[in-house]
Amino acid sequence: MLAIRGNPAKYDEWQAAGCPGWGYEQVLPYFKRLEDCRFGDPQYRGRDGPVSITEPDDDMLGVAFLQACKTAGFPRASDYNGAVPEGAGPFQMSTRNGLRCSTAVAYLRPALGRSNLKVLTNATVDRVNFVESRAVGVQYRIDGETRTAQARREVLLSAGAIRSPQVLELSGIGRSDILQKQGIPVLRHLPGVGENLQDHLMVRVCYECKEPVTVYDLLHSRLRMARELVKYAVTRKGIFATSSFPAIAFLRSNPAAPLPNIRIQLGLTSGAKRLSTSNDSGLDPHSGFHLGGYPIYPQSRGSLHIRSPHVTDSPKIVASYLTREEDCIVTVETLKILRRIAEQPSLARHIVREVRPGTEITDDEALLEYARQNGDTCWHPCGTCRMGTGEHAVVDSQLRVHGVEGLRVIDTSIFPFLVASNTNIPTIMLGERAADLIRGQAH
């Protein structure tokens, strides 16, 4: 539900990296087209799109966090999706009337009645079918049957940064040595398929809270849970109308950083994992919250490739987090900034103690080891079918797969590199612009 576009300068870097038409000036109209946002400068924000963008009501800890950022020397962001994408502010969310405004809600459900749309659920695509080098359809399985769907014009592959490269490899497109090892005939040698994997690795500092205002307190008090449920049912407000993250900040890990390069958040949970929400999943046995953060533009690169010729066998994923020195340095600086914010009076007055990693862990090496042992994925994989030119590019700037005809990839796998701290809104923008490319209407 987190609505974050990313820094305009990074889209210009996309364009400079061999992706003409993907600079900020070109993608801004699509960001505006997708959103229905009732705040911010209309030069940057859309008013009549299908995805509703809102901000949460004030939250005790959220207000304290924003004040703490200010006293720690970080700016306040009036609209981080607007002209100045830097500073601290309340989370912007893709919600409408307290409910998630997903792409299913905003795009798919209104289109379900169209005569030219047929949706098949619980279907698994085995591969893309080709006649010579042209994609002519897909083979898929549903209800135990193998079927085919024919394409008169194009096949559009949108299986995500994990599954799209897998489907390409199963279809004979990818590194020839990997395909041959699995007995798959090589249709097109594209060594970039499955490479260039990027993701965000979040590190957290967890605190015991003095006030009963966190997720733990809802789960361990029937009265508080009932009050919040009634509040939500009547007003569509409160914690159930949010993602449990009241506030966010886009900051520089050091003054010399050319752009805000870290993203930090206040979350109303404290536990062994970022989304510990029960005793069984590691939720701490007390009222608690966390400050979490990560480098927005990681330099570490992983990979994923098929392990067998069967789509039901998940690919082998090598995330390679924290394998580049730059990422290690920025991650350690992020942990120090989280503590610096927690030490400010507005937030410190709500803290009993630091639970994790613990005040005894202070030197850089120990902090980095803590990050390695306790960092969590943010589920932002991208880059595994990179857009651009050169030997390791998989699609061109029109999202067409190099070396074949009639096949485009349209999901975060085509991102050359991460441009934002979250991938939801950039992915919807990609879908909007792809629709124009397919129709030949993009300028």
Side-chain angles (χ1 to χ4, degrees):
M1 296 188 293
L2 308 183
I4 300 166
R5 294 177 177 180
N7 196 294
K10 301 304 288 187
Y11 292 97
D12 291 338
E13 289 182 25
W14 268 11
Q15 182 156 263
C19 305
W22 293 91
Y24 184 67
E25 183 179 347
Q26 290 77 34
V27 301
L28 177 59
Y30 296 99
F31 280 123
K32 294 176 67 176
R33 180 198 285 184
L34 73 88
E35 70 179 13
D36 178 13
C37 180
R38 298 299 161 174
F39 57 87
D41 185 345
Q43 181 179 349
Y44 298 96
R45 307 309 302 258
R47 296 289 190 252
D48 302 309
V51 180
S52 177
I53 308 296
T54 62
E55 291 182 317
D57 294 330
D58 286 345
D59 168 90
M60 175 192 294
L61 292 177
V63 171
F65 170 83
L66 295 177
Q67 180 60 32
C69 288
K70 180 179 179 180
T71 56
F74 300 114
R76 176 69 184 262
S78 60
D79 178 6
Y80 53 73
N81 284 321
V84 183
E86 182 170 7
F91 258 118
Q92 296 182 25
M93 303 178 294
S94 51
T95 61
R96 180 182 293 123
N97 297 325
L99 297 171
R100 181 184 178 195
C101 188
S102 66
T103 49
V105 170
Y107 291 92
L108 184 57
R109 289 179 189 169
L112 285 175
R114 294 180 185 176
S115 60
N116 64 346
L117 173 64
K118 183 177 182 179
V119 178
L120 298 178
T121 59
N122 297 313
T124 302
V125 170
D126 288 321
R127 64 175 182 266
V128 179
N129 292 330
F130 287 85
V131 171
E132 296 181 344
S133 62
R134 180 168 191 85
V136 295
V138 297
Q139 177 178 299
Y140 66 98
R141 276 178 282 172
I142 186 169
D143 297 330
E145 283 185 47
T146 297
R147 304 181 188 179
T148 60
Q150 299 293 98
R152 286 181 294 180
R153 296 187 180 179
E154 292 183 294
V155 173
L156 311 177
L157 177 56
S158 300
I162 305 299
R163 295 295 184 173
S164 281
Q166 180 191 23
V167 171
L168 288 180
E169 289 184 333
L170 293 174
S171 306
I173 300 173
R175 278 176 46 184
S176 57
D177 60 323
I178 290 175
L179 304 185
Q180 291 166 351
K181 182 179 179 181
Q182 301 301 335
I184 297 173
V186 179
L187 175 69
R188 177 70 180 181
H189 172 63
L190 280 182
V193 173
E195 299 293 324
N196 193 44
L197 174 63
Q198 301 151 61
D199 189 16
H200 290 131
L201 184 74
M202 177 174 284
V203 293
R204 296 160 297 109
V205 182
C206 298
Y207 297 94
E208 184 176 354
C209 184
K210 292 181 179 179
E211 287 81 22
V213 292
T214 69
V215 170
Y216 170 87
D217 303 293
L218 289 182
L219 296 176
H220 291 80
S221 170
R222 292 183 179 180
L223 179 58
R224 290 191 181 93
M225 178 68 81
R227 286 174 177 171
E228 278 296 322
L229 286 171
V230 169
K231 180 180 180 180
Y232 177 70
V234 174
T235 68
R236 284 290 188 261
K237 295 182 179 181
I239 192 171
F240 287 108
T242 76
S243 57
S244 78
F245 305 134
I248 189 173
F250 301 95
L251 311 176
R252 300 175 195 242
S253 60
N254 67 77
L259 296 172
N261 63 334
I262 62 172
R263 178 261 216 201
I264 65 174
Q265 70 180 30
L266 167 72
L268 300 181
T269 60
S270 173
K273 295 295 181 181
R274 187 166 74 87
L275 291 185
S276 295
T277 55
S278 67
N279 294 333
D280 292 339
S281 62
L283 189 70
D284 287 334
H286 51 70
S287 180
F289 65 90
H290 74 263
L291 299 182
Y294 49 79
I296 304 174
Y297 315 117
Q299 299 302 303
S300 300
R301 297 290 185 267
S303 65
L304 63 93
H305 294 288
I306 56 173
R307 297 181 298 166
S308 83
H310 307 294
V311 73
T312 50
D313 292 333
S314 295
K316 179 181 179 180
I317 303 172
V318 181
S320 297
Y321 297 122
L322 299 176
T323 52
R324 291 284 294 270
E325 184 180 5
E326 306 98 299
D327 295 343
C328 296
I329 292 171
V330 176
T331 296
V332 170
E333 289 302 314
T334 299
L335 285 166
K336 292 178 180 179
I337 288 172
L338 296 179
R339 282 176 162 172
R340 176 178 159 193
I341 291 170
E343 291 168 357
Q344 304 306 310
S346 62
L347 196 53
R349 68 170 60 103
H350 299 290
I351 294 173
V352 177
R353 62 189 175 99
E354 180 183 307
V355 177
R356 194 177 288 106
T359 54
E360 69 279 3
I361 296 179
T362 57
D363 65 87
D364 290 3
E365 186 176 335
L367 288 171
L368 180 58
E369 183 59 24
Y370 168 76
R372 292 188 187 281
Q373 297 299 323
N374 296 276
D376 290 307
T377 176
C378 290
W379 300 284
H380 299 159
C382 78
T384 49
C385 298
R386 181 175 70 82
M387 173 172 56
T389 59
E391 180 186 6
H392 292 281
V394 177
V395 303
D396 65 13
S397 61
Q398 304 283 306
L399 311 179
R400 299 170 298 200
V401 175
H402 289 300
V404 298
E405 299 177 47
L407 177 61
R408 302 192 205 223
V409 179
I410 307 171
D411 54 43
T412 59
S413 69
I414 67 95
F415 289 8
F417 47 81
L418 283 158
V419 289
S421 67
N422 296 75
T423 52
N424 179 33
I425 295 300
T427 305
I428 302 174
M429 176 279 291
L430 167 65
E432 284 278 11
R433 190 163 194 278
D436 275 2
L437 290 172
I438 292 163
R439 294 182 297 195
Q441 297 175 351
H443 298 288

